[in-house]
């Protein structure tokens, strides 16, 4: 350990057997297809690990097969949560190997979930097993969470836990969410807000042979989308977050190919900054709708389907300081602070009143991509960073 970097805490490296167990666990989880389903199979594996190490645990399963598991080490405060998710996105095309058959090649682990989020989860489990050995000495406690349903919004995972009696008894003081990648060179402390708006356009039906007698809702929606693409929303710059965006994610309209479409509906996905308010964004979109209405004789209605506020953790928090020091000690890295356009469980934790950050191993562009992979050495180092962060906060 580099002198002067951290206070005197135990020197930790992973043994050969601990490294093997970490990789074996990651491979076992990759083999299980958990695309918006079957997280309970991973929970069963982790349950057996926790039971073998005498780690107290609780399982929640709001729907059959959609389970999460939470382990507990110690019972005092402060309380640190280490969290990762067990579900993945679908593999998609372009793979050179079977995405659900892990492959180790040139020091990298290949497979769906290797970086998002099963490899990092295996590192968190390895860190928890080490911290368990120091349980009697901890002045605080650790919560280790393997969560379902993150890729689909966390309703059956973290969101469900927020509404349970369990959450009220285990709410942490800090949280590290292993779902950011950037090869541990960045700490996610800010995330844009998410606003989804359903836009419905009503036109006038007519025979397809006489389109001039109708008002085509699809054409009107196309014009609105073109205006939205060119529109620059009103906002103040943020030091960590890029400008806000509007994306048309879904569209549906018309009832027959030989009819002028009398209705069309589109869903807008908007990522906005702390200086903006959903009401103001909605007003800006309505103004564009009015321009199209006056020109085409149609009508628009807007309805909000999702809202998640922008979030930011204090850059001077003790969690960030401890984790930064740990990364320097373990890997010679001084992570920079960043903001994300996407929404992770760190956002959900912050909205629930928990100072949370995103941090983890792996290449930023590997998640959700074909031939997803992670450097195995980074998984080892990430486990050690989590151990040292735990020591610094809890020992």
């Amino acid at each position: 350990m580099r002198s002067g970097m951290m206070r005197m805490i135990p020197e930790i490296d992973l043994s050969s057997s601990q490294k093997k167990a970490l990789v074996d666990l990651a491979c076992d989880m990759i083999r299980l297809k958990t695309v918006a389903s079957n997280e309970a199979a991973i929970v069963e594996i982790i349950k057996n690990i926790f039971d073998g190490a005498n780690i107290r645990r609780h399982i929640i399963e709001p729907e059959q097969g959609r389970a999460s598991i939470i382990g507990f080490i110690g019972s005092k405060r402060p309380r640190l949560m280490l969290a990762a998710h067990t579900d993945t996105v679908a593999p998609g095309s372009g793979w050179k190997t079977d995405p659900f058959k892990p492959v180790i090649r040139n020091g990298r682990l290949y497979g769906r979930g290797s970086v998002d989020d099963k490899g990092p989860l295996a590192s968190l489990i390895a860190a928890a097993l080490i911290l368990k050995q120091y349980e009697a000495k901890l002045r605080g406690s650790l919560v280790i969470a393997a969560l379902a349903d993150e890729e689909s919004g966390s309703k059956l995972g973290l969101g469900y836990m927020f509404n349970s009696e369990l959450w009220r008894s285990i709410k942490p003081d800090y949280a590290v969410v292993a779902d950011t990648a950037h090869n541990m060179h960045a700490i996610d402390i800010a995330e844009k807000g998410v606003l989804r708006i359903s836009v419905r356009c009503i036109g006038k039906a007519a025979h397809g042979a006489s389109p001039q007698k109708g008002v085509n809702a699809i054409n009107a929606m196309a014009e609105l989308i073109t205006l939205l693409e060119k529109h620059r929303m009103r906002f103040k710059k943020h030091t960590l977050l890029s400008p806000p965006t509007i994306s048309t994610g879904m569209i549906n309209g018309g009832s027959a190919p030989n009819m002028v479409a009398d209705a069309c509906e589109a869903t807008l996905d908007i990522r906005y900054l702390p200086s903006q308010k959903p009401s103001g964004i909605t007003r800006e979109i309505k103004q564009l709708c009015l321009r199209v209405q006056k020109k085409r004789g149609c009508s628009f209605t807007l309805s909000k389907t999702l809202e998640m506020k922008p979030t930011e953790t204090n850059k001077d928090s003790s969690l960030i300081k401890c984790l930064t020091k740990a990364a320097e000690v373990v890997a010679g890295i001084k992570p920079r602070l960043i903001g994300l356009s996407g929404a992770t469980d760190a956002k959900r934790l912050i909205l629930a009143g928990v100072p949370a950050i995103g941090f983890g191993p792996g290449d930023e562009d590997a998640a959700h991509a074909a031939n997803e992979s992670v450097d195995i050495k980074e998984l080892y180092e990430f486990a050690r960073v989590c151990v040292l962060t735990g020591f610094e906060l809890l020992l």
Side-chain angles (χ1 to χ4, degrees), residues 48 77 81 113 116 120 122 131 139 150 157 165-166 168 176 197 199 262 293 299 311 317 332 344 363-364 372:
N48 292 334
R77 290 193 179 269
M81 171 181 276
D116 184 19
L131 288 165
R139 64 182 179 87
E150 191 275 345
E165 287 293 330
L166 174 67
R168 286 182 276 278
V176 176
I197 294 178
V199 181
D262 63 347
Q293 283 182 201
S299 64
T311 53
S317 78
T344 72
D363 304 333
E364 177 186 1
E372 178 182 350

Side-chain angles (χ1 to χ4, degrees), residues 10 15 43 74 115 264 329 340 358:
S15 67
V43 166
V115 70
C264 184
V329 169
L340 296 183

Side-chain angles (χ1 to χ4, degrees), residues 66-114:
R66 309 303 305 275
S68 301
I69 184 168
I70 302 93
F72 312 95
I73 298 172
S75 57
K76 303 174 184 176
R77 290 193 179 269
R79 181 171 294 140
L80 170 66
M81 171 181 276
L82 302 177
H85 63 87
T86 55
D87 60 324
T88 71
V89 295
S93 60
W95 284 80
K96 297 178 181 178
T97 60
D98 186 331
F100 299 110
K101 290 184 179 178
V103 173
I104 296 174
R105 185 171 62 247
N106 298 326
R108 298 186 71 85
L109 172 62
Y110 290 79
R112 177 53 88 221
S114 55

Side-chain angles (χ1 to χ4, degrees), residues 367-382:
H368 297 199
N371 306 303
E372 178 182 350
S373 70
V374 66
D375 187 330
I376 293 173
K377 181 183 176 183
E378 283 190 31
L379 295 181
Y380 300 154
E381 290 178 340
F382 179 52

Side-chain angles (χ1 to χ4, degrees), residues 105-160:
R105 185 171 62 247
N106 298 326
R108 298 186 71 85
L109 172 62
Y110 290 79
R112 177 53 88 221
S114 55
V115 70
D116 184 19
D117 204 17
K118 295 175 179 180
L121 175 56
S123 296
L124 297 187
I125 299 296
L129 292 173
I130 293 171
L131 288 165
K132 172 64 180 179
Q133 299 172 28
Y134 296 85
E135 183 172 22
K137 298 180 180 180
L138 296 181
R139 64 182 179 87
S141 58
L142 177 74
V143 176
I144 176 82
L147 301 166
D149 195 38
E150 191 275 345
E151 298 289 4
S152 301
S154 295
K155 180 180 178 181
L156 302 177
L158 195 59
Y160 184 85

